[in-house]
Amino acid sequence: MAWTPDQPIIRIADVHKSFGPIEVLKGVTFDVRKGEVICVIGPSGSGKSTLLRCVNALVPIERGSILVEGQEVNDPKLDKLALRRKVGMVFQQYNLFPHKTALQNVMMAPIHVLKQDRNEVEARAIALLRKVRLAEKAAAYPGELSGGQQQRVAIARSLAMNPDVMLFDEVTAALDPETVKEVLVAIRELAAEGMTCMIVTHEMGFARELAHHIYFTDRGVIVEHGPPTDFFACPRDPRTKEFLSQIL
Amino acid sequence: MKPIACHTDLPVLLPPGPALTVARGESGFGDPRRIFTPAVAIGLFAAFVISVLVNEAAAAPAAPGILAALWKWAPLIFQGFLFNLLVSVLSMAIGTVAGTALGLAQISLLPSVRGASWLTTQFFRNAPWLVLLFYCMLLLPFEIKIAGLTIPLPAWFKSVIGLSLPVMANVSEVVRGGVRSIPLAQWESAETLAFTRRQTLWMIILPQCLKRMMPPWMNLYAILTMATPLISIVGVQDSMTLTRAALSAEGRSELLVPMYLMLLGWFFLYCYPIARCTVALERRFTVKN
Ligand SMILES: Nc1ncnc2c1ncn2[C@@H]1O[C@H](COP(=O)(O)OP(=O)(O)OP(=O)(O)O)[C@@H](O)[C@H]1O
Ligand SMILES: [Mg+2]
């Protein structure tokens, strides 16, 4: 059965994941629709990063199913290239390639992985850097950029693969307060263009403003979820209440 | 990629930053960076001058001067010295190519490949160089036949292979350590961009560790160069053999010390800049981090 855009772009069903004896995900289930922005929040160690990493097959899952545009991620014969063309991911620590300039960082994967034409890729990469307001830093190496600038290059690098879904794992957690905003602006613009986003964040104001739906995780399960207005105004579960009272 | 824990004293295998400085401070006996200091240079030169003067005074008045004798034999011995350098360059080249392959095998995803290459590395890293040299002289045939083609294996080339074995093992450790010094996050972000493992290794990981691998690699070359006179023991004619021959031809005991000092001086002049360069590179690297 072929996937069509009116179906959820990501279907996560009863996902279980353990690292040795530690059970990190204990049956997570939810859908993400195309163009939707969802935020995952929850205490440290509740499995948020692990969940994102399962979606693009950085870690294998033990039980359950993850469908990305109808492609099963929990499949030994998974075509990882096909999956990762669809799913972009940005990390907390940017992880740019330090021996390449900002522009080269953005261009590398389309040229070497997708085998696209260099000139065409370069034009697109420059446009992407302009989009994250870093056109003038194209020739700079990551070591010469601030954290916020590096993170925006990382976003551009991921977008260069033309993904259908973007995963953001606490992308502002390592940044100075002044530079958090410029990264959030870049993500906001992306969301406004209709990019499907799964965002793990501790920025509650950002989640409230941007998310269509919020998921609260605790110890490997989704405790509560809902649209941000309901979620923040009247949390039902005591664990959610406690978490929000601590963080707000 | 499962890290294989093992003890090492190569600086590249230690965490970068201050630890590198400590490693340099602690690296002990036999390390060219510790041997080749300016003080040693002055000392060596002084020893040479004194040995010439002392032996000159002791020599019979009728015999030609010591400097004249040295001058007479210097061109021949220098040719031998150049041969030592040729052996060092060839051994280093072969050892580096083989060692890189072995080092990459050490980070293979296949446990059998990883295990075998680890064992090979440890074996050749911990065997005395002279013993390896002897084994190569004895075990390698004097010619090899490939598809009807007979390629002679002269003794000197066997000695090159013999010296390249420990170089290979040490380069293998340098490569493995260099790759391991790159954070796993680099592998991960390459993976999310759909790079294959091979692409990640050659385009992202190795270019980053090249800088870190340079100092230990140069250090290894200096050690190798100083070890090349070992080949004279297994019967290959090098600068040592020629020095000995010159001495027995002259038959004058007062020449013994100055002549060996002359040879020592050449090795020193060759290895000293390499050692200084290694230290400078290491320092630059430590400062950068
Ligand atoms: N590769 C791994 N090996 C072993 N344990 C792991 C691994 N990755 C994560 N864990 C464990 O899984 C649990 C959940 O980790 P995860 O990173 O998903 O949490 P998180 O919700 O993202 O937390 P944080 O907000 O601190 O980032 C933690 O207890 C962590 O120690
Ligand atoms: Mg996390």
Side-chain angles (χ1 to χ4, degrees), chain A residues 19 24 43-50 170 202:
Chain A
F19 290 108
V24 179
S44 184
S46 59
K48 308 181 296 294
S49 301
T50 307
E170 292 188 35
H202 282 143

Side-chain angles (χ1 to χ4, degrees), chain A residues 3-248:
Chain A
W3 176 80
T4 51
D6 55 311
Q7 293 167 2
I9 194 163
I10 301 176
R11 307 204 72 155
I12 299 171
D14 194 33
V15 166
H16 288 254
K17 171 69 197 172
S18 310
F19 290 108
I22 317 162
E23 209 179 352
V24 179
L25 298 177
K26 304 170 190 162
V28 175
T29 302
F30 66 88
D31 290 349
V32 184
R33 308 200 66 85
K34 193 164 174 55
E36 199 176 21
V37 176
I38 68 127
C39 282
V40 182
I41 63 174
S44 184
S46 59
K48 308 181 296 294
S49 301
T50 307
L51 180 64
L52 286 194
R53 297 152 77 85
C54 289
V55 171
N56 77 346
L58 273 183
V59 291
I61 60 175
E62 276 117 38
R63 195 139 68 78
S65 150
I66 300 177
L67 292 176
V68 178
E69 294 185 356
Q71 184 187 13
E72 175 58 68
V73 174
N74 188 16
D75 177 355
K77 297 193 296 290
L78 169 71
D79 179 356
K80 286 192 175 169
L81 174 62
L83 176 71
R84 285 168 185 157
R85 286 181 70 150
K86 292 186 281 205
V87 183
M89 182 160 183
V90 184
F91 299 88
Q92 180 177 343
Q93 292 297 341
Y94 348 122
N95 302 343
L96 292 179
F97 305 133
H99 59 302
K100 299 281 183 184
T101 64
L103 185 65
Q104 287 169 338
N105 262 279
V106 179
M107 290 171 61
M108 259 179 104
I111 289 174
H112 296 289
V113 176
L114 304 180
K115 316 279 184 213
Q116 291 170 344
D117 174 65
R118 179 176 281 272
N119 293 325
E120 188 260 324
V121 170
E122 183 164 357
R124 208 170 73 227
I126 291 170
L128 281 169
L129 284 179
R130 193 174 303 127
K131 187 169 159 178
V132 295
R133 299 188 177 80
L134 282 173
E136 77 286 357
K137 296 286 184 189
Y141 284 89
E144 301 160 355
L145 298 174
S146 76
Q149 292 170 333
Q150 288 190 56
Q151 193 59 289
R152 283 181 285 154
V153 174
I155 292 172
R157 179 176 72 172
S158 207
L159 290 175
M161 296 288 279
N162 275 327
D164 297 334
V165 182
M166 285 289 286
L167 312 177
F168 295 94
D169 188 3
E170 292 188 35
V171 292
T172 57
L175 299 179
D176 299 330
E178 316 88 78
T179 56
V180 167
K181 216 173 132 209
E182 62 197 33
V183 173
L184 294 185
V185 165
I187 299 176
R188 186 185 292 133
E189 286 175 359
L190 207 58
E193 287 168 17
M195 174 66 80
T196 312
C197 299
M198 263 181 89
I199 304 173
V200 171
T201 186
H202 282 143
E203 300 276 333
M204 291 305 141
F206 180 65
R208 194 200 303 248
E209 176 213 355
L210 208 62
H212 300 120
H213 213 85
I214 294 194
Y215 292 86
F216 176 73
T217 57
D218 190 21
R219 285 177 222 148
V221 290
I222 290 179
V223 174
E224 186 166 355
H225 66 94
T229 40
D230 302 352
F231 181 86
F232 287 108
C234 45
R236 290 183 304 273
D237 195 278
R239 283 172 286 183
T240 322
K241 284 180 186 151
E242 196 200 328
F243 179 74
L244 289 177
S245 72
Q246 279 169 3
I247 208 157
L248 291 176

Side-chain angles (χ1 to χ4, degrees), chain B residues 40-200:
Chain B
V40 173
I42 296 164
L44 199 64
F45 186 70
F48 180 73
V49 172
I50 291 168
S51 74
V52 169
L53 291 178
V54 167
N55 289 297
E56 193 93 62
I66 285 181
L67 280 177
L70 289 183
W71 188 249
K72 182 175 138 202
W73 290 105
L76 182 71
I77 298 174
F78 194 72
Q79 274 178 25
F81 173 68
L82 289 181
F83 177 71
N84 280 73
L85 297 191
L86 176 73
V87 167
S88 75
V89 169
L90 286 177
S91 304
M92 197 65 195
I94 295 173
T96 300
V97 172
T100 304
L102 196 61
L104 294 180
Q106 280 204 84
I107 53 164
S108 162
L109 289 178
L110 301 171
S112 55
V113 173
R114 213 164 52 218
S117 55
W118 177 81
L119 205 68
T120 313
T121 302
Q122 291 309 315
F123 178 78
F124 286 114
R125 225 165 87 85
N126 295 298
W129 292 32
L130 187 57
V131 178
L132 290 177
L133 210 48
F134 263 109
Y135 265 101
C136 275
M137 303 310 278
L138 293 174
L139 294 182
L140 290 178
F142 66 93
E143 57 180 30
I144 42 175
K145 290 197 175 75
I146 305 171
L149 206 73
T150 308
I151 303 164
L153 268 188
W156 73 269
F157 195 73
K158 286 195 215 176
S159 74
V160 166
I161 293 173
L163 286 176
S164 69
L165 289 176
V167 171
M168 169 188 79
N170 282 285
V171 168
S172 169
E173 281 297 87
V174 169
V175 169
R176 186 185 70 105
V179 169
R180 274 192 53 194
S181 72
I182 304 299
L184 279 175
Q186 288 285 315
W187 287 91
E188 218 163 46
S189 67
E191 207 182 339
T192 56
L193 291 166
F195 284 99
T196 63
R197 197 179 149 78
R198 173 168 300 186
Q199 283 177 322
T200 307

